[in-house]
Amino acid sequence: MESLTVFARYYLVSCALTSSYINMKFILMWFALFVTVSTVEPDEHSFIIQQEKIIVLKPRGFLLLIPDTPEMKLVDFHANINKKIKRRDLGDINIRLNSPTKIWMIRDEGTKLEPGDVLHYWYFIQERTNYTRWNVSFKVE
């Protein structure tokens, strides 16, 4: 979608410079296409991820729960404690799950989380299409 927008902007600028009737017609066609593509409502085939939930375990560890969808095949989770995590950085904690049981449960029992600690993480889900949730933070209460 973003590449379409960039191409449309580039073409609009180039058409404005040459300003011919044919180019203006093409601009209107691109604009109509952009508006149509950007306003499509999700259907039953769209991939909508439910909000994940984090549970802090005592004396140590945490659970990250992600509801399953029929076509989810894989979840990769990457995190740091009290240190920002960059996109595609593996982080100090990285876990891969290949098999759900109605909910994808990422369990780490080795990490001790204290009140005030911040879990910085991102995760990747493989489904019909791929989904990545970047730059997520969870503060321990």
Side-chain angles (χ1 to χ4, degrees), residues 23-38:
N23 286 339
M24 292 306 282
K25 217 168 137 181
F26 195 72
I27 289 170
L28 291 173
M29 183 182 74
W30 268 106
F31 180 76
L33 176 66
F34 175 74
V35 169
T36 303
V37 169
S38 64

Side-chain angles (χ1 to χ4, degrees), residues 88-107:
R88 305 221 185 270
D89 184 9
L90 292 178
D92 298 329
I93 303 165
N94 41 71
I95 301 168
R96 171 173 279 189
L97 295 178
N98 294 340
S99 56
T101 53
K102 297 192 181 189
I103 194 158
W104 293 78
M105 183 171 57
I106 294 170
R107 183 180 191 102

Side-chain angles (χ1 to χ4, degrees), residues 9 34 44 55 58-59 63 110 115 125:
R9 286 182 189 159
F34 175 74
E44 67 275 3
I55 300 170
K58 298 291 179 190
L63 294 174
I125 294 174

Side-chain angles (χ1 to χ4, degrees), residues 84-133:
K84 293 275 187 183
I85 189 165
K86 296 178 183 172
R87 285 184 175 217
R88 305 221 185 270
D89 184 9
L90 292 178
D92 298 329
I93 303 165
N94 41 71
I95 301 168
R96 171 173 279 189
L97 295 178
N98 294 340
S99 56
T101 53
K102 297 192 181 189
I103 194 158
W104 293 78
M105 183 171 57
I106 294 170
R107 183 180 191 102
D108 177 9
E109 295 176 338
T111 304
K112 185 168 178 82
L113 294 172
E114 301 289 339
D117 284 347
V118 179
L119 180 67
H120 298 280
Y121 64 95
W122 64 271
Y123 61 87
F124 166 83
I125 294 174
Q126 183 181 21
E127 213 239 8
R128 274 178 285 123
T129 59
N130 296 331
Y131 172 86
T132 306
R133 181 138 189 246

